[in-house]
Amino acid sequence: KAGVTQTPRYLIKTRGQQVTLSCSPISGHRSVSWYQQTPGQGLQFLFEYFSETQRNKGNFPGRFSGRQFSNSRSEMNVSTLELGDSALYLCASSVGLAGQLDTQYFGPGTRLTVL
Amino acid sequence: QKEVEQDPGPLSVPEGAIVSLNCTYSNSAFQYFMWYRQYSRKGPELLMYTYSSGNKEDGRFTAQVDKSSKYISLFIRDSQPSDSATYLCAMSRQGGNQFYFGTGTSLTVIP
């Protein structure tokens, strides 16, 4: 079974630009979660999509948005980039269970650098 | 205060040593406790998880949860250079996939 794939793996942007990151989950998984990972803050939850609907959201500004398509692939968009947005963005896919542990499988991440 | 605290290290040990990695947390509602391992330039991968209190063993790895102290540990016996990675603890209140992660502890096992 293929794992979670993320594209691109590396991105360099300048302040004020916008960026779109893509995630393809494991086949059969309906939930996709996005995380921002930085050395000081660790993994911080951005949002989760399940069956094309945002099911949960973390405490990030509205510049961070996402969507999920009918094939469960997901995109994350960051508008008006700031230097502090430089981070590793991780996507995690899971079946989408509730009430019991829903194991998340992570992709390799997209390393975003904002200059 | 963060809900999950983890000493970032770095931790450096000789091959064969016993490694102890720890996290503390503040939310008593956490019921699932997980340990992830993250190699450089890779995403985290789930090592093991426990539900509620107690111990769980998987090969050289043992996870312990002490809910009364809000403290969890991961022990690695007979550590190997291939164990060199960042170890992240994660917790969940009621299952599902809303996880709260620690910042990770960087471990290097020296041959």
Side-chain angles (χ1 to χ4, degrees):
Chain A
K1 198 186 252 189
V4 180
T5 58
Q6 290 188 247
T7 56
R9 292 292 311 276
Y10 302 91
L11 264 179
I12 299 176
K13 292 284 187 180
T14 56
R15 278 182 301 173
Q17 287 187 307
Q18 76 165 21
V19 67
T20 299
L21 313 181
S22 181
C23 172
S24 292
I26 292 170
S27 176
H29 285 190
R30 296 167 66 190
S31 171
V32 173
S33 297
W34 288 90
Y35 292 86
Q36 181 193 67
Q37 187 176 32
T38 57
Q41 298 296 316
L43 268 86
Q44 293 187 280
F45 174 73
L46 281 153
F47 32 65
E48 181 221 358
Y49 284 86
F50 178 78
S51 293
E52 301 179 66
T53 301
Q54 189 179 86
R55 188 162 67 170
N56 292 296
K57 189 177 187 308
N59 295 322
F60 276 80
R63 300 185 296 107
F64 293 82
S65 63
R67 59 179 175 167
Q68 187 179 35
F69 301 95
S70 58
N71 61 358
S72 293
R73 189 177 71 85
S74 177
E75 287 182 348
M76 190 193 100
N77 185 274
V78 188
S79 62
T80 320
L81 284 166
E82 300 177 359
L83 294 178
D85 296 334
S86 294
L88 181 67
Y89 289 87
L90 290 160
C91 158
S93 92
S94 63
V95 171
L97 301 171
Q100 57 184 295
L101 190 66
D102 188 31
T103 303
Q104 295 197 322
Y105 298 86
F106 284 85
T110 294
R111 172 74 61 186
L112 172 64
T113 302
V114 182
L115 303 176
Chain B
Q1 184 194 4
K2 286 188 150 194
E3 292 202 71
V4 181
E5 300 278 359
Q6 184 175 8
D7 186 339
L11 191 59
S12 185
V13 301
E15 183 175 352
I18 296 175
V19 177
S20 172
L21 305 166
N22 311 294
C23 288
T24 58
Y25 62 96
S26 56
N27 191 336
S28 58
F30 287 139
Q31 294 194 67
Y32 291 91
F33 303 90
M34 292 148 280
W35 286 96
Y36 279 80
R37 177 175 61 196
Q38 185 175 19
Y39 290 115
S40 181
R41 297 189 185 86
K42 301 272 190 180
E45 57 175 335
L46 180 66
L47 267 178
M48 56 197 306
Y49 75 91
T50 53
Y51 175 72
S52 195
S53 279
N55 296 357
K56 187 172 185 178
E57 189 173 317
D58 184 1
R60 297 185 294 110
F61 298 86
T62 300
Q64 283 186 355
V65 174
D66 181 350
K67 293 190 79 176
S68 61
S69 303
K70 297 192 180 69
Y71 188 87
I72 71 170
S73 301
L74 178 71
F75 297 95
I76 307 174
R77 290 185 300 282
D78 187 25
S79 55
Q80 302 296 308
S82 58
D83 295 328
S84 298
T86 296
Y87 290 80
L88 302 121
C89 62
M91 303 177 193
S92 172
R93 284 193 288 261
Q94 53 194 14
N97 58 17
Q98 274 207 286
F99 296 175
Y100 296 82
F101 283 86
T103 50
T105 299
S106 175
L107 170 68
T108 300
V109 180
I110 302 166

